[in-house]
Amino acid sequence: MSHPHPELGAPPALKEGALRITPLGGLGEIGRNMTVFEYGDRILIVDCGVLFPEDEQPGVDLILPDFTYIRDRLDKVDGIVLTHGHEDHIGAVPYLLRENPDIPLIGSKLTLALIEAKLAEHRIRPYVLEVAEGDRERIGPFDCEFIAVNHSIPDALAVAVRTPAGMVVATGDFKMDQLPLDGRLTDLPTFAKLAEEGMDLLLVDSTNAEVPGFIPHERDISAALRNVFANAERRIIVASFASHVHRIQQVLDAAHEYKRKVAFVGRSMVRNMGIARDLGYLKVPGNLIVDVKQLDDLPDKEVVLICTGSQGEPMAALSRMANRDHQIRIVEGDTVVLASSLIPGNENAVYRVINGLTRWGAKVVHKGNAKVHVSGHASAGELLYFFNICKPRNLMPVHGEWRHLRAAADLGILTGVPRNRVVIAEDGVCVDLEGGVARIVGKVQAGYVYVDGSSVGDITEASLKDRRILGEEGFISVFVAVDSTNGKIVGGPTIQARGSGIDDNAFVPVAAKLQEALDRSASDGVLEIRQVQQLVRRTIGKWVADNYRRRPMIVPVVVEV
């Protein structure tokens, strides 16, 4: 089993006849999926998604892959293959196309419709190539065959990429539900045919590799939803991903059966469900959908709202309802259904929302107390079955945290993949397929790129550290005016604290100490502003640490007069 080493250097030039695979996101994390394929001087990208921020990334809206590795070669990119329409696979496409809007997008009908709607908001009109399962397209030197896979969104595809160096199969996100709502099974016969041809490298979804057995059927949720509808006293509010068409379909079916009207809440939910309905992926009984403005005219027991916010996102509709910051007010007797799983890292945010909703009297139904969610990712039993069908010569787990990647690797070894042909990589690690063997050859830059409002890439780790300090410890500002000729204090020091829990009057003793230190420094001939600022920061910082055991941010403002 090969794995990255922290001392990996830059990769060598790609050898003639070899294929290089470089994940720029999606390994060691759930999200930001993006993999770069290189053959000769041409590039194919599979997926280009975002990662959602966690608590230690305050103020960040989205996290993108780092495009540095390919930025000066975007004219060499023959296309971006999108396996399905989830944000962690398509969300970063607008940011890449801002840098080169001429890169073609390749995907299924629903996937392209979702990304085109997103790109329209960025005023980008891409060239698109619609494909379906069974199609085979030549994209530069990459011969791509598309295979149906079952996931928690319709129209998901795996892709087999053939080059003279060999065949690489990327599953995208998938599971093997044998009773899917849309009847679209993961195409195991085609995977078996690819195995007969010779699958040189398999990039496999590892998210549920630690979960034993098989994932329950999506249709099994129907009974739990109907139980909720049968017992709900007032409004029912369902929170789900804005792209989970199968889950929304079951909610619509239950609403129709129990004679309730449905309103979609939230821009992305309204947009995506409109697209799914127009394309025929969402079957909506007549007169079932109403505008949210009509809800006041309906009795509560006849209302269902479907909104975003199942992951506790602070600006999503459900979080705002929990915080009393939304036009829809939660009242005693409402039932809220969280129809999704918890993405790792979002637990605290979700439980805050649950507590907020419960505070206002809502009954909250979630995966922990009812069967209202099943995963969209293959578990260990399915992966074993899948590996035995595919018989990959080399295996590289993707789409998962380290524990998931390791678990998938172990399953592959159990099914006969040689240990030395299993590659556990991380973001930025280059893997070359040459002579039928996949091996790690180096590492490139693949850090986080933060989106904060309209700012892309301007926020650094140092900026986030400052934000965390401000949020946890507060800050202290110190104003001092000094004579530019002799360094003597002519004004101040004036000390103010915000968010530190220290009263401004408490700084009287340290103000005198600071004045002494500054006078001494001036006598020693220290006149440079930067040195004076450091002296202020050290003096105040030591006093606060000694007396309060805190480390707030200290902002010295030194003015020469």
Side-chain angles (χ1 to χ4, degrees):
M1 186 184 296
S2 74
H3 56 85
H5 189 278
E7 301 304 322
L8 276 174
L14 182 59
K15 292 182 181 178
E16 185 176 350
L19 174 67
R20 177 163 293 168
I21 302 101
T22 307
L24 296 182
L27 275 68
E29 61 199 1
I30 305 293
R32 216 170 58 114
N33 298 283
M34 180 177 180
T35 306
V36 174
F37 291 74
E38 298 173 74
Y39 186 81
D41 67 343
R42 306 306 298 178
I43 295 172
L44 178 74
I45 297 171
V46 174
D47 290 328
C48 188
V50 297
L51 178 68
F52 294 102
E54 298 183 9
D55 289 345
E56 64 267 22
Q57 293 149 338
V60 173
D61 299 319
L62 298 170
I63 305 172
L64 308 179
D66 188 338
F67 304 140
T68 301
Y69 178 56
I70 57 172
R71 179 165 281 120
D72 61 352
R73 298 182 290 153
L74 291 179
D75 59 324
K76 306 291 186 183
V77 178
D78 289 311
I80 304 173
V81 172
L82 302 172
T83 59
H84 63 282
H86 280 152
E87 285 293 302
D88 60 334
H89 290 258
I90 68 171
V93 169
Y95 299 93
L96 184 58
L97 292 194
R98 278 186 193 177
E99 303 193 25
N100 184 347
D102 297 326
I103 301 174
L105 303 180
I106 301 100
S108 63
K109 180 188 293 185
L110 179 61
T111 303
L112 291 179
L114 293 174
I115 189 59
E116 285 181 282
K118 182 182 292 291
L119 287 169
E121 297 177 0
H122 293 259
R123 298 181 180 179
I124 298 172
R125 298 184 65 182
Y127 171 79
V128 298
L129 173 62
E130 183 182 314
V131 295
E133 56 263 32
D135 289 351
R136 192 163 169 176
E137 296 286 346
R138 188 86 181 179
I139 306 169
F142 307 96
D143 180 355
C144 297
E145 181 177 353
F146 300 91
I147 310 114
V149 291
N150 177 246
H151 186 41
S152 54
I153 186 173
D155 249 8
L157 295 169
V159 58
V161 181
R162 294 177 176 89
T163 68
M167 180 207 299
V168 181
V169 174
T171 64
D173 293 359
F174 85 107
K175 60 178 177 176
M176 297 201 296
D177 191 337
Q178 297 303 295
L179 297 170
L181 290 175
D182 59 2
R184 190 171 177 272
L185 296 161
T186 293
D187 190 355
L188 297 178
T190 293
F191 283 108
K193 289 178 183 176
L194 296 174
E196 290 178 9
E197 182 181 334
M199 200 177 290
D200 294 292
L201 176 61
L202 175 62
L203 308 183
V204 67
D205 175 7
S206 308
T207 307
N208 273 342
E210 288 186 311
V211 180
F214 287 69
I215 295 298
H217 307 303
E218 174 70 27
R219 66 178 62 234
D220 291 349
I221 292 172
S222 179
L225 283 175
R226 280 172 167 74
N227 184 57
V228 169
F229 275 74
N231 293 290
E233 301 171 1
R234 302 190 65 165
R235 295 176 300 181
I236 298 173
I237 301 165
V238 180
S240 176
F241 291 119
S243 54
H244 204 330
V245 178
H246 297 319
R247 192 67 43 82
I248 303 303
Q249 182 68 67
Q250 296 197 79
V251 175
L252 295 183
D253 292 343
H256 181 63
E257 180 179 338
Y258 285 87
K259 296 180 173 55
R260 287 177 178 257
K261 298 294 185 181
V262 176
F264 293 121
V265 180
R267 186 180 62 170
S268 60
M269 182 66 74
V270 172
R271 180 191 66 201
N272 288 1
M273 290 307 111
I275 291 169
R277 180 180 186 174
D278 292 344
L279 295 180
Y281 294 97
L282 191 68
K283 312 295 182 186
V284 183
N287 301 318
L288 180 69
I289 305 297
V290 298
D291 189 275
V292 69
K293 296 175 183 176
Q294 298 176 248
L295 296 181
D296 290 341
D297 300 328
L298 296 171
D300 284 353
K301 64 181 180 180
E302 295 179 12
V303 169
V304 177
L305 296 106
I306 301 177
C307 67
T308 55
S310 61
Q311 298 302 308
E313 305 96 312
M315 296 307 294
L318 192 66
S319 295
R320 293 172 57 204
M321 291 178 203
N323 294 329
R324 278 287 200 263
D325 182 29
H326 197 278
Q327 63 182 11
I328 296 166
R329 311 281 283 187
I330 299 294
V331 298
E332 188 81 31
D334 284 346
T335 300
V336 178
V337 182
L338 299 181
S340 65
S341 63
L342 283 179
I343 293 176
N346 293 348
E347 293 88 351
N348 290 339
V350 172
Y351 288 126
R352 276 198 297 271
V353 171
I354 290 175
N355 285 322
L357 295 167
T358 305
R359 176 187 179 190
W360 306 119
K363 176 185 178 183
V364 183
V365 181
H366 54 87
K367 186 182 178 183
N369 59 25
K371 194 172 184 178
V372 290
H373 173 74
V374 299
S375 178
H377 304 270
S379 58
E382 292 164 75
L383 288 176
L384 287 171
Y385 195 84
F386 188 69
F387 291 152
N388 281 326
I389 288 173
C390 292
K391 298 180 172 61
R393 293 166 180 162
N394 298 269
L395 175 65
M396 181 173 163
V398 296
H399 198 289
E401 298 176 350
W402 273 100
R403 57 196 174 97
H404 306 129
L405 303 181
R406 289 275 182 189
D410 291 340
L411 293 173
I413 291 168
L414 285 175
T415 61
V417 182
R419 183 175 292 272
N420 62 353
R421 297 291 187 89
V422 177
V423 177
I424 297 184
E426 61 184 345
D427 294 342
V429 167
C430 300
V431 177
D432 283 4
L433 179 64
E434 183 185 13
V437 178
R439 60 188 183 89
I440 290 172
V441 296
K443 189 174 183 180
V444 300
Q445 180 177 323
Y448 284 177
V449 174
Y450 298 107
V451 177
D452 182 358
S454 60
S455 164
V456 179
D458 295 334
I459 302 300
T460 64
E461 291 297 337
S463 304
L464 290 180
K465 182 180 179 182
D466 288 346
R467 290 182 179 185
R468 288 192 292 270
I469 292 172
L470 286 169
E472 295 168 5
E473 302 282 355
F475 78 96
I476 297 170
S477 65
V478 186
F479 174 82
V480 181
V482 297
D483 189 307
S484 60
T485 58
N486 58 27
K488 296 289 185 180
I489 295 178
V490 295
T494 302
I495 305 174
Q496 292 184 319
R498 293 293 182 271
S500 66
I502 305 173
D503 187 85
D504 288 351
N505 294 327
F507 291 106
V508 173
V510 74
K513 288 184 179 181
L514 178 60
Q515 185 151 358
E516 290 175 14
L518 290 171
D519 287 342
R520 194 163 51 248
S521 174
S523 299
D524 293 339
V526 177
L527 304 178
E528 190 182 71
I529 290 292
R530 186 178 60 83
Q531 291 176 299
V532 176
Q533 288 175 331
Q534 288 177 340
L535 176 61
V536 171
R537 187 178 288 112
R538 282 198 305 270
T539 305
I540 299 295
K542 184 177 187 305
W543 182 84
V544 171
D546 291 344
N547 288 275
Y548 293 91
R549 295 185 181 180
R550 294 178 188 165
R551 295 185 178 275
M553 179 177 289
I554 298 168
V555 183
V557 180
V558 180
V559 178
E560 288 183 313
V561 294

mmCIF file of all heavy atoms in Angstrom, residues 310-328:
data_model
loop_
_atom_site.group_PDB
_atom_site.id
_atom_site.type_symbol
_atom_site.label_atom_id
_atom_site.label_comp_id
_atom_site.label_asym_id
_atom_site.label_seq_id
_atom_site.Cartn_x
_atom_site.Cartn_y
_atom_site.Cartn_z
ATOM 1 N N SER A 310 -30.584 21.886 6.044
ATOM 2 C CA SER A 310 -30.480 20.634 6.793
ATOM 3 C C SER A 310 -29.108 20.443 7.424
ATOM 4 O O SER A 310 -28.925 19.564 8.274
ATOM 5 C CB SER A 310 -30.797 19.444 5.883
ATOM 6 O OG SER A 310 -29.873 19.382 4.808
ATOM 7 N N GLN A 311 -28.117 21.257 7.011
ATOM 8 C CA GLN A 311 -26.771 21.144 7.584
ATOM 9 C C GLN A 311 -26.459 22.280 8.561
ATOM 10 O O GLN A 311 -25.305 22.470 8.938
ATOM 11 C CB GLN A 311 -25.728 21.117 6.462
ATOM 12 C CG GLN A 311 -25.859 19.945 5.531
ATOM 13 C CD GLN A 311 -25.772 18.616 6.263
ATOM 14 O OE1 GLN A 311 -24.832 18.385 7.018
ATOM 15 N NE2 GLN A 311 -26.740 17.742 6.043
ATOM 16 N N GLY A 312 -27.482 23.039 8.936
ATOM 17 C CA GLY A 312 -27.264 24.112 9.903
ATOM 18 C C GLY A 312 -26.612 25.346 9.322
ATOM 19 O O GLY A 312 -26.085 26.169 10.067
ATOM 20 N N GLU A 313 -26.625 25.492 7.980
ATOM 21 C CA GLU A 313 -26.008 26.653 7.358
ATOM 22 C C GLU A 313 -26.658 27.931 7.908
ATOM 23 O O GLU A 313 -27.874 28.057 7.899
ATOM 24 C CB GLU A 313 -26.187 26.614 5.836
ATOM 25 C CG GLU A 313 -25.686 25.334 5.178
ATOM 26 C CD GLU A 313 -26.801 24.323 4.963
ATOM 27 O OE1 GLU A 313 -27.577 24.067 5.930
ATOM 28 O OE2 GLU A 313 -26.907 23.797 3.854
ATOM 29 N N PRO A 314 -25.858 28.873 8.396
ATOM 30 C CA PRO A 314 -26.418 30.017 9.124
ATOM 31 C C PRO A 314 -27.380 30.882 8.316
ATOM 32 O O PRO A 314 -28.301 31.465 8.865
ATOM 33 C CB PRO A 314 -25.179 30.813 9.553
ATOM 34 C CG PRO A 314 -24.056 30.309 8.720
ATOM 35 C CD PRO A 314 -24.386 28.893 8.378
ATOM 36 N N MET A 315 -27.177 30.977 6.978
ATOM 37 C CA MET A 315 -28.026 31.843 6.171
ATOM 38 C C MET A 315 -29.155 31.077 5.488
ATOM 39 O O MET A 315 -29.954 31.678 4.765
ATOM 40 C CB MET A 315 -27.182 32.570 5.116
ATOM 41 C CG MET A 315 -26.150 33.526 5.696
ATOM 42 S SD MET A 315 -26.879 34.699 6.860
ATOM 43 C CE MET A 315 -27.947 35.643 5.759
ATOM 44 N N ALA A 316 -29.228 29.768 5.687
ATOM 45 C CA ALA A 316 -30.283 28.977 5.063
ATOM 46 C C ALA A 316 -31.610 29.209 5.788
ATOM 47 O O ALA A 316 -31.655 29.658 6.936
ATOM 48 C CB ALA A 316 -29.914 27.497 5.071
ATOM 49 N N ALA A 317 -32.702 28.863 5.103
ATOM 50 C CA ALA A 317 -34.039 29.174 5.613
ATOM 51 C C ALA A 317 -34.295 28.570 6.991
ATOM 52 O O ALA A 317 -34.811 29.250 7.892
ATOM 53 C CB ALA A 317 -35.088 28.682 4.608
ATOM 54 N N LEU A 318 -33.928 27.300 7.200
ATOM 55 C CA LEU A 318 -34.261 26.649 8.467
ATOM 56 C C LEU A 318 -33.524 27.287 9.640
ATOM 57 O O LEU A 318 -34.104 27.475 10.719
ATOM 58 C CB LEU A 318 -33.931 25.155 8.388
ATOM 59 C CG LEU A 318 -34.508 24.320 9.539
ATOM 60 C CD1 LEU A 318 -36.030 24.307 9.474
ATOM 61 C CD2 LEU A 318 -33.983 22.888 9.501
ATOM 62 N N SER A 319 -32.254 27.631 9.457
ATOM 63 C CA SER A 319 -31.499 28.284 10.527
ATOM 64 C C SER A 319 -32.131 29.628 10.882
ATOM 65 O O SER A 319 -32.231 29.991 12.061
ATOM 66 C CB SER A 319 -30.045 28.496 10.102
ATOM 67 O OG SER A 319 -29.391 27.264 9.912
ATOM 68 N N ARG A 320 -32.559 30.348 9.878
ATOM 69 C CA ARG A 320 -33.182 31.649 10.136
ATOM 70 C C ARG A 320 -34.530 31.492 10.837
ATOM 71 O O ARG A 320 -34.897 32.311 11.687
ATOM 72 C CB ARG A 320 -33.322 32.420 8.828
ATOM 73 C CG ARG A 320 -31.966 32.827 8.226
ATOM 74 C CD ARG A 320 -32.118 33.419 6.841
ATOM 75 N NE ARG A 320 -32.998 34.566 6.857
ATOM 76 C CZ ARG A 320 -33.676 35.011 5.800
ATOM 77 N NH1 ARG A 320 -33.559 34.384 4.637
ATOM 78 N NH2 ARG A 320 -34.455 36.067 5.899
ATOM 79 N N MET A 321 -35.262 30.419 10.513
ATOM 80 C CA MET A 321 -36.505 30.153 11.244
ATOM 81 C C MET A 321 -36.207 29.869 12.713
ATOM 82 O O MET A 321 -36.909 30.345 13.619
ATOM 83 C CB MET A 321 -37.224 28.951 10.627
ATOM 84 C CG MET A 321 -37.810 29.181 9.253
ATOM 85 S SD MET A 321 -38.589 27.660 8.627
ATOM 86 C CE MET A 321 -38.561 27.958 6.864
ATOM 87 N N ALA A 322 -35.159 29.069 12.956
ATOM 88 C CA ALA A 322 -34.792 28.726 14.337
ATOM 89 C C ALA A 322 -34.380 29.964 15.120
ATOM 90 O O ALA A 322 -34.578 30.039 16.344
ATOM 91 C CB ALA A 322 -33.664 27.692 14.334
ATOM 92 N N ASN A 323 -33.809 30.963 14.413
ATOM 93 C CA ASN A 323 -33.335 32.186 15.070
ATOM 94 C C ASN A 323 -34.365 33.307 15.056
ATOM 95 O O ASN A 323 -34.047 34.448 15.417
ATOM 96 C CB ASN A 323 -32.046 32.673 14.393
ATOM 97 C CG ASN A 323 -30.903 31.714 14.589
ATOM 98 O OD1 ASN A 323 -30.824 31.021 15.603
ATOM 99 N ND2 ASN A 323 -29.993 31.662 13.620
ATOM 100 N N ARG A 324 -35.574 33.006 14.627
ATOM 101 C CA ARG A 324 -36.629 34.014 14.528
ATOM 102 C C ARG A 324 -36.239 35.155 13.582
ATOM 103 O O ARG A 324 -36.579 36.315 13.794
ATOM 104 C CB ARG A 324 -36.964 34.583 15.914
ATOM 105 C CG ARG A 324 -37.907 33.734 16.751
ATOM 106 C CD ARG A 324 -39.326 33.833 16.184
ATOM 107 N NE ARG A 324 -40.355 33.453 17.134
ATOM 108 C CZ ARG A 324 -40.931 32.253 17.195
ATOM 109 N NH1 ARG A 324 -40.539 31.308 16.359
ATOM 110 N NH2 ARG A 324 -41.880 31.999 18.052
ATOM 111 N N ASP A 325 -35.510 34.789 12.506
ATOM 112 C CA ASP A 325 -35.031 35.785 11.550
ATOM 113 C C ASP A 325 -35.584 35.470 10.162
ATOM 114 O O ASP A 325 -34.909 35.641 9.165
ATOM 115 C CB ASP A 325 -33.492 35.795 11.545
ATOM 116 C CG ASP A 325 -32.914 36.845 10.621
ATOM 117 O OD1 ASP A 325 -33.575 37.880 10.425
ATOM 118 O OD2 ASP A 325 -31.814 36.625 10.071
ATOM 119 N N HIS A 326 -36.811 34.968 10.098
ATOM 120 C CA HIS A 326 -37.425 34.579 8.824
ATOM 121 C C HIS A 326 -38.901 34.907 8.874
ATOM 122 O O HIS A 326 -39.512 34.940 9.955
ATOM 123 C CB HIS A 326 -37.219 33.071 8.593
ATOM 124 C CG HIS A 326 -37.435 32.644 7.172
ATOM 125 N ND1 HIS A 326 -38.684 32.408 6.650
ATOM 126 C CD2 HIS A 326 -36.560 32.412 6.155
ATOM 127 C CE1 HIS A 326 -38.570 32.045 5.372
ATOM 128 N NE2 HIS A 326 -37.298 32.038 5.055
ATOM 129 N N GLN A 327 -39.471 35.162 7.698
ATOM 130 C CA GLN A 327 -40.893 35.499 7.648
ATOM 131 C C GLN A 327 -41.770 34.355 8.143
ATOM 132 O O GLN A 327 -42.888 34.561 8.609
ATOM 133 C CB GLN A 327 -41.292 35.870 6.219
ATOM 134 C CG GLN A 327 -41.134 34.738 5.212
ATOM 135 C CD GLN A 327 -41.485 35.172 3.791
ATOM 136 O OE1 GLN A 327 -41.653 36.336 3.539
ATOM 137 N NE2 GLN A 327 -41.591 34.221 2.885
ATOM 138 N N ILE A 328 -41.275 33.126 8.026
ATOM 139 C CA ILE A 328 -42.014 31.969 8.534
ATOM 140 C C ILE A 328 -41.634 31.761 9.992
ATOM 141 O O ILE A 328 -40.472 31.509 10.314
ATOM 142 C CB ILE A 328 -41.713 30.716 7.701
ATOM 143 C CG1 ILE A 328 -42.221 30.929 6.264
ATOM 144 C CG2 ILE A 328 -42.354 29.480 8.323
ATOM 145 C CD1 ILE A 328 -41.704 29.923 5.281
#
